[in-house]
Amino acid sequence: MRLRDKRWYVAYGLVIGLILFGMVRLMEGWLWDTKGLTGLLLTQGLAVLLGFALHEGLHLMTALRHGVSAGSVRAGWFRFWVLEPVEVRVYRRVMLAPLVLPVVVGALIMPFAGVRRGLVVALLWLLGSADDLADWVRLWGVKGAVTNRPGEGLRLEVER
């Protein structure tokens, strides 16, 4: 059963909308400061490569720590796939693992750039987890095993 349906897209859109709304509200005072905004975007643009690797690595580490076999998951620079069925509760934990990154990166930036800029950076990094949060919300109350294969998306596996 395919799980990326209207509910998934609603959750995905809400997460992205709330993050962007929060970023704009935090940046209101210095939104037109082109030098500061350009600096923020350049530094975060360069940091995003490290962020992608850390994000997918945290998915992989959490999956392996929760007993998922190494052959049933695959992690790349931009995507994490679960090729063999995994229990929903384990998959939800795996999807939440990278949420520590926005908190850590924002906390590291705050002493040097201020609280507001640290929060903006944390929200910017949280955008990378919007699909993971939508998966987590969509799996609320679902029991069974799921896969997330390339080209198929998130699916509830029916035992045969």
Side-chain angles (χ1 to χ4, degrees):
M1 178 171 129
R2 194 171 178 88
L3 291 172
R4 287 196 175 155
D5 57 5
K6 284 191 278 188
R7 290 175 283 190
W8 188 89
Y9 287 106
V10 166
Y12 188 62
L14 280 173
V15 168
I16 289 177
L18 289 172
I19 290 170
L20 291 176
F21 177 74
M23 288 175 63
V24 168
R25 294 288 295 166
L26 286 167
M27 293 177 9
E28 276 180 342
W30 41 272
L31 188 59
W32 304 111
D33 176 20
T34 55
K35 183 179 176 187
L37 193 57
T38 305
L40 174 73
L41 292 176
L42 283 176
T43 56
Q44 291 310 300
L46 294 173
V48 79
L49 293 176
L50 175 64
F52 277 127
L54 288 172
H55 181 99
E56 304 309 333
L58 282 171
H59 279 314
L60 182 61
M61 181 184 74
T62 305
L64 295 176
R65 198 167 7 133
H66 285 346
V68 178
S69 70
S72 64
V73 294
R74 188 168 71 183
W77 275 89
F78 303 106
R79 291 300 304 157
F80 176 79
W81 293 288
V82 178
L83 306 173
E84 301 296 324
V86 173
E87 294 243 0
V88 169
R89 62 179 177 77
V90 172
Y91 187 82
R92 287 181 71 201
R93 286 184 189 140
V94 169
M95 290 301 106
L96 284 183
L99 293 182
V100 72
L101 285 175
V103 173
V104 169
V105 171
L108 288 173
I109 300 264
M110 280 182 196
F112 303 105
V115 173
R116 289 180 68 181
R117 190 156 301 207
L119 289 172
V120 168
V121 168
L123 286 174
L124 185 63
W125 277 59
L126 189 59
L127 272 175
S129 295
D131 61 331
D132 299 335
L133 286 170
D135 284 352
W136 192 85
V137 168
R138 179 58 184 96
L139 291 172
W140 188 269
V142 174
K143 294 195 185 307
V146 294
T147 59
N148 191 0
R149 295 185 186 119
E152 291 182 15
L154 186 63
R155 286 185 175 268
L156 185 62
E157 294 297 317
V158 183
E159 291 190 28
R160 298 172 191 181

